[in-house]
Amino acid sequence: GAGVSQSPSNKVTEKGKDVELRCDPISGHTALYWYRQSLGQGLEFLIYFQGNSAPDKSGLPSDRFSAERTGGSVSTLTIQRTQQEDSAVYLCASSLQALYYGYTFGSGTRLTVV
Amino acid sequence: QKEVEQNSGPLSVPEGAIASLNCTYSDRGSQSFFWYRQYSGKSPELIMSIYSNGDKEDGRFTAQLNKASQYVSLLIRDSQPSDSATYLCAVNRGGSQGNLIFGKGTKLSVKP
């Protein structure tokens, strides 16, 4: 597609439920990133996929968070047993080569845990 | 020391003035430097990239890089109210081609 597509744009869930957030990167972009941004805060790195390499999971805050990328394209971020502190905007970005082109961000998923 | 540091602001400038946004980074191995603009409630948008020491100009925007001082800046000439946003500095992690480190951003307010 023309841009990075994320769905849903908004998600309200009850504490303790599992949620799945989806990211469809720009076609041909081999790198895909997940960040989260809490209200008024900076970007917090979560996970990074590059081609067929093992993902860099160093930013995942707990084992309740996981992500996969199927076929080198679409990615799903899963949060199990959601907590109120998980409420944030989850941003996906993709890149052809971040060193030279930086990232292109999607419009984000706003997650609210009630 | 934080990896990428920015003054959180808010930085307030009158319309038509030059806005100067600053960023310092800690990793001497960093090679690529980016400025993103983020409007309230929106996602970050890439506006400038710079890789070599010196200045790089694009329209009203000028990025400046000084690797010896580990310092990056963004100048916005003839500031407009539509420039009011948070500006994020991003730097690649030395030794990593794919992972950028973001500062927390500087909030700019341009007053008419």
Side-chain angles (χ1 to χ4, degrees), chain A residues 9-22:
Chain A
S9 55
N10 278 285
K11 177 72 176 179
V12 180
T13 190
E14 293 181 352
K15 179 181 173 182
K17 300 281 190 183
D18 297 353
V19 295
E20 285 189 351
L21 312 179
R22 176 188 167 104

Side-chain angles (χ1 to χ4, degrees), chain B residues 7-63:
Chain B
N7 188 323
S8 62
L11 173 65
S12 184
V13 300
E15 184 174 356
I18 296 175
S20 178
L21 304 161
N22 304 315
C23 171
T24 58
Y25 61 96
S26 61
D27 190 337
R28 287 195 172 274
S30 297
Q31 303 165 273
S32 301
F33 308 86
F34 303 92
W35 283 99
Y36 283 81
R37 177 177 61 200
Q38 186 174 26
Y39 292 114
S40 181
K42 301 295 185 183
S43 57
E45 170 195 14
L46 179 64
I47 56 171
M48 287 288 288
S49 59
I50 188 167
Y51 313 104
S52 304
N53 281 327
D55 295 0
K56 179 181 178 182
E57 187 174 319
D58 184 0
R60 295 186 297 111
F61 298 99
T62 299

Side-chain angles (χ1 to χ4, degrees), chain B residues 64-79:
Chain B
Q64 299 175 317
L65 174 61
N66 184 326
K67 290 186 179 180
S69 300
Q70 295 174 250
Y71 178 89
V72 193
S73 65
L74 179 70
L75 301 178
I76 307 174
R77 289 182 301 282
D78 188 24
S79 296

Side-chain angles (χ1 to χ4, degrees), chain A residues 31 33 35 37 41-43 45 48 50 56 58 91 97-108 110, chain B residues 31-34 36 38 41-46 49 51 88 92-93 96-104:
Chain A
Y33 310 81
Y35 285 79
Q37 189 172 35
Q41 301 300 308
L43 294 172
F45 167 73
Y48 157 42
Q50 173 64 61
D56 176 354
S58 60
L91 290 164
Q97 173 53 275
L99 190 66
Y100 302 112
Y101 305 114
Y103 302 163
T104 301
F105 283 90
S107 55
R110 182 176 298 277
Chain B
Q31 303 165 273
S32 301
F33 308 86
F34 303 92
Y36 283 81
Q38 186 174 26
K42 301 295 185 183
S43 57
E45 170 195 14
L46 179 64
S49 59
Y51 313 104
L88 305 173
N92 83 293
R93 193 182 298 276
S96 167
Q97 297 209 348
N99 212 343
L100 301 182
I101 310 163
F102 286 82
K104 292 190 181 299

Side-chain angles (χ1 to χ4, degrees), chain A:
Chain A
V4 179
S5 179
Q6 290 189 247
S7 61
S9 55
N10 278 285
K11 177 72 176 179
V12 180
T13 190
E14 293 181 352
K15 179 181 173 182
K17 300 281 190 183
D18 297 353
V19 295
E20 285 189 351
L21 312 179
R22 176 188 167 104
C23 174
D24 198 345
I26 292 172
S27 178
H29 280 195
T30 56
L32 186 148
Y33 310 81
W34 284 99
Y35 285 79
R36 73 176 175 182
Q37 189 172 35
S38 301
L39 189 63
Q41 301 300 308
L43 294 172
E44 178 186 2
F45 167 73
L46 298 177
I47 189 167
Y48 157 42
F49 296 90
Q50 173 64 61
N52 295 320
S53 302
D56 176 354
K57 303 180 182 179
S58 60
L60 294 178
S62 77
D63 59 8
R64 296 186 297 104
F65 288 73
S66 63
E68 63 177 18
R69 188 178 185 191
T70 54
S73 183
V74 172
S75 177
T76 302
L77 177 69
T78 301
I79 309 173
Q80 296 179 310
R81 304 181 302 283
T82 51
Q83 304 295 312
Q84 287 187 327
E85 61 263 28
D86 299 334
S87 296
V89 175
Y90 288 80
L91 290 164
C92 175
S94 71
S95 181
L96 184 59
Q97 173 53 275
L99 190 66
Y100 302 112
Y101 305 114
Y103 302 163
T104 301
F105 283 90
S107 55
T109 294
R110 182 176 298 277
L111 175 67
T112 304
V113 182
V114 297

